Amino acid sequence: MTKTALALVLACGLAGCGNESPPVLGAGPGSDAGSDSDADSDSDTDSDSDSDSNSDSDSDSDADCIDTQQIPIDWSEATIVDPMHVEESTQIENMFYILTWEAYAGSAVATFEVPCHDTWYVWGAGFVMANEMAAPNDFTVRVDGGDELTWLLTGENEWLWNLFSPEGDESPFEFEMASGPGHTFTVYGGDSTTMGPNLIAPALGDVVLVNDPEWTPSLFGGK
């Protein structure tokens, strides 16, 4: 897939399963202590909530997605470890972004819930502060307990949507995730430098996980 980037130019820089029934206390020798009608002391009742007579659960707790789903990452609710820092954008309404005050240090961890089982792709709004030097543009990303992957952002002095892909590869990273809460999206601090009194560091704004490889964000926030 060709990387797609939609630009918004900025005028300034960054701102129990069922258990056996317990014994009935006081039951005399030879009496049936269970709740069923036979002569043993067990419980023959169906312990699940479905309509059949077995004790398994017929509900599908990890159903596949049947339509396009989007999962927004909100950095304002993430766990931030210094010197990673979170700021609210003064140019993009309702957008928070992260950047590090020190090269390759700090982290941001966002926890999210996946609505259904599928393969997921990642889009992120990136801002790279261009200058006469090589502009730092990388973060390290981990989804759940997976590998640490480098994300090289584009967007020189402007916010651009970036599809999370390996360097020099048009095919995006893919993440298969089961439905349920407790998933994590972790970003570790990337490169940064200084020019005089100014910090030169990349920033990562809105991030959206989506299960459709053809989906592209149309607006910042793309939620």
Side-chain angles (χ1 to χ4, degrees):
M1 172 190 297
T2 302
K3 293 183 179 178
T4 304
L6 302 177
L8 180 60
V9 180
L10 301 181
C12 56
L14 285 178
C17 53
N19 295 321
E20 285 274 332
S21 298
V24 178
L25 298 178
S31 64
D32 183 9
S35 59
D36 56 330
S37 59
D38 59 12
D40 61 2
S41 60
D42 64 334
S43 175
D44 293 340
T45 58
D46 181 7
S47 61
D48 63 348
S49 59
D50 55 8
S51 59
D52 58 13
S53 59
N54 58 27
S55 60
D56 65 331
S57 176
D58 294 339
S59 62
D60 189 352
S61 61
D62 193 23
D64 292 338
C65 296
I66 59 174
D67 54 10
T68 299
Q69 299 286 332
Q70 300 162 36
I71 305 172
I73 299 297
D74 185 353
W75 296 121
S76 68
E77 298 179 355
T79 301
I80 306 296
V81 176
D82 289 338
M84 187 72 80
H85 195 68
V86 60
E87 295 280 355
E88 184 172 7
S89 173
T90 58
Q91 292 85 23
I92 308 298
E93 185 177 3
N94 298 323
M95 186 176 80
F96 291 84
Y97 61 86
I98 54 174
L99 76 165
T100 182
W101 298 126
E102 181 182 336
Y104 302 109
S107 64
V109 182
T111 302
F112 60 94
E113 181 172 355
V114 173
C116 46
H117 169 263
D118 213 334
T119 298
W120 298 84
Y121 308 88
V122 181
W123 285 87
F127 188 99
V128 178
M129 300 181 68
N131 57 82
E132 62 267 22
M133 303 169 58
N137 68 335
D138 66 288
F139 286 99
T140 298
V141 174
R142 171 182 283 174
V143 177
D144 289 336
D147 295 335
E148 293 184 1
L149 305 169
T150 299
W151 194 351
L152 297 179
L153 300 175
T154 60
E156 294 187 356
N157 292 328
E158 59 183 359
W159 287 104
L160 288 179
W161 279 109
N162 289 251
L163 180 60
F164 189 17
S165 305
E167 183 180 7
D169 192 338
E170 294 183 353
S171 300
F173 285 117
E174 299 179 344
F175 304 94
E176 183 176 358
M177 290 186 289
S179 63
H183 292 274
T184 55
F185 188 88
T186 304
V187 177
Y188 301 100
D191 197 7
S192 67
T193 187
T194 55
M195 180 181 293
N198 300 317
L199 172 73
I200 306 297
L204 181 62
D206 281 343
V207 170
V208 181
L209 285 72
V210 63
N211 62 334
D212 180 359
E214 302 299 323
W215 181 89
T216 57
S218 57
L219 295 172
F220 282 94
K223 301 170 184 177

